[in-house]
């Protein structure tokens, strides 16, 4: 049986309005904090009622075995905004992840809201400093919200940790997404280069376990 991998496009008229919520993201003190601006939250999601219940003040940490870039570092970011949780676009993203990922009805989901910034046309931004990797969950997904004055940032899924095992490469355009089995497949995003003086890529990364 092949590992779970879904790709698709959500309607741009639903997803594009979420961009304004990214404008208030700020740098952090972590190693990637100057160019990967981020909010992070945990929440529960009930597919029957479509209720999202935020678990405020959650911390994020990965082992150094999974994340050689900044593993074993306890990180805490601002929670996603209450305004975001009320939008049709964010609910559509969460529901798509839950359904296509086969999550249980009352799943605990982690979300990274990120703006990856590119400031120097001569020096591409490394969007994935962890390299080709897994994140230690049963399911992971990436949803592009917007991009401005950048090239690159393609979402790539791999069968193994061999760069020659690529299964799919998706452009980071508004509404484009992938949902995959993080325990079986590997992922990476290509470098990002500004086509002007500065540019960015806005996306959500959602993760969850099946139990």
């Amino acid at each position: 049986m092949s590992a779970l991998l879904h790709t698709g496009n959500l309607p741009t008229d639903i997803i594009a309005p979420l961009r304004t919520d990214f404008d208030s993201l700020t740098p952090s003190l972590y190693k990637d904090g100057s160019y990967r601006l981020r909010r992070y939250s945990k929440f529960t999601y009930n597919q029957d009622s479509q209720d999202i219940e935020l678990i405020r003040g959650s911390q994020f940490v990965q082992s150094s075995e999974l994340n050689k870039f900044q593993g074993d570092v306890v990180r805490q970011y601002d929670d996603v905004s209450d305004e975001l949780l009320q939008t049709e676009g964010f609910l559509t993203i969460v529901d798509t992840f839950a359904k296509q990922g086969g999550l249980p009805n009352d799943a605990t989901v982690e979300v990274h809201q990120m703006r990856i910034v590119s400031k120097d046309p001569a020096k591409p931004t490394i969007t994935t400093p962890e390299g080709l990797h897994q994140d230690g969950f049963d399911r992971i997904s990436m949803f592009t919200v917007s991009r401005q004055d950048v090239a690159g940032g393609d979402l790539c899924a791999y069968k193994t940790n061999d760069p020659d095992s690529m299964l799919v490469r998706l452009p980071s355009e508004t509404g484009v997404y992938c949902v995959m089995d993080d325990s079986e497949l590997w992922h990476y995003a290509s470098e990002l280069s500004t086509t002007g003086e500065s540019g960015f890529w806005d996306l959500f990364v959602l993760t969850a376990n099946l139990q």
Side-chain angles (χ1 to χ4, degrees), residues 12-25 39 81 84 87 89-90 93 113-115 144-150 174 198-204:
T12 56
D13 61 327
I14 294 176
I15 301 304
L18 298 176
R19 172 179 163 170
T20 57
D21 197 74
F22 287 75
D23 291 338
S24 56
L25 293 180
R39 293 191 186 105
S81 69
L84 175 72
T87 62
F90 188 67
I93 286 172
Q113 179 184 7
M114 300 175 66
R115 170 167 286 181
T144 291
V145 171
S146 66
R147 56 188 284 147
Q148 178 174 302
D149 296 334
V150 288
T174 299
S198 180
F200 58 81
W201 172 26
D202 293 339
L203 72 156
F204 289 106

Side-chain angles (χ1 to χ4, degrees), residues 94-115:
V94 173
D95 197 58
T96 299
F97 176 49
K99 287 184 167 58
Q100 296 199 1
L103 302 188
N105 188 49
D106 283 298
T108 298
V109 178
E110 301 184 30
V111 59
H112 299 256
Q113 179 184 7
M114 300 175 66
R115 170 167 286 181

